[in-house]
Amino acid sequence: MANDLSVTLDETTSPWLVDVSQKDNANHVPRGNNQQTITWQLTENAASGRIVSCSWLNDPPTFNPPPSGIFGPFVIAPNGKSMTLSDLNNGSNTTGEWYYQIGVQLVANGTIYYSGAVAITGTATNPSIKNN
């Protein structure tokens, strides 16, 4: 199963929000013995931008970062058009759902847009990685 996530901007909100498509459960990572890679790709109206940040949400009790040893670091490509993360979902102790925040900067106007949790409107869902 590919763990490829499409990143666009939701222009129906003010301010705009980063939208990570989790269609068809693309954010669900099945258990396996080997490390798997999750990839984010800027597409559509975000394609001209660049990913500038990504971090786990840490605001207990609603959001808790994953335990150490499950994920590697978020690695943003040099051109900022994509990002990867390694996921070692190899046992019951690596099962869970963790939420993150991603920032995308549009080159044209220099504005940085974020996903979910920091949004003033609060209407977007928060992107997550779910280890099954």
Side-chain angles (χ1 to χ4, degrees):
M1 174 182 163
N3 298 304
D4 299 324
L5 302 168
S6 174
V7 179
T8 60
L9 292 172
D10 180 355
E11 297 179 20
T12 66
T13 64
S14 182
W16 295 353
L17 294 174
V18 172
D19 184 31
V20 178
S21 175
Q22 300 179 153
K23 183 180 179 187
D24 299 325
N25 293 325
N27 63 321
H28 290 210
V29 179
R31 186 173 297 160
N33 292 327
N34 298 317
Q35 196 170 58
Q36 300 175 65
T37 300
I38 303 164
T39 303
W40 290 260
Q41 182 71 43
L42 296 182
T43 61
E44 299 176 25
N45 63 348
S48 67
R50 62 188 181 99
I51 299 170
V52 294
S53 65
C54 196
S55 60
W56 297 109
L57 294 180
N58 185 8
D59 187 16
T62 305
F63 300 113
N64 292 297
S68 62
I70 298 174
F71 298 101
F74 291 102
V75 179
I76 300 171
N79 67 2
K81 302 296 183 190
S82 64
M83 178 176 67
T84 59
L85 175 73
S86 62
D87 183 346
L88 183 59
N89 181 15
N90 63 355
S92 59
N93 62 328
T94 61
T95 299
E97 185 169 18
W98 298 279
Y99 295 86
Y100 60 91
Q101 176 188 62
I102 185 171
V104 174
Q105 183 178 37
L106 286 187
V107 175
N109 65 15
T111 302
I112 298 176
Y113 300 97
Y114 294 95
S115 61
V118 298
I120 296 169
T121 60
T123 57
T125 57
N126 293 305
S128 70
I129 300 299
K130 184 172 184 176
N131 283 356
N132 296 323

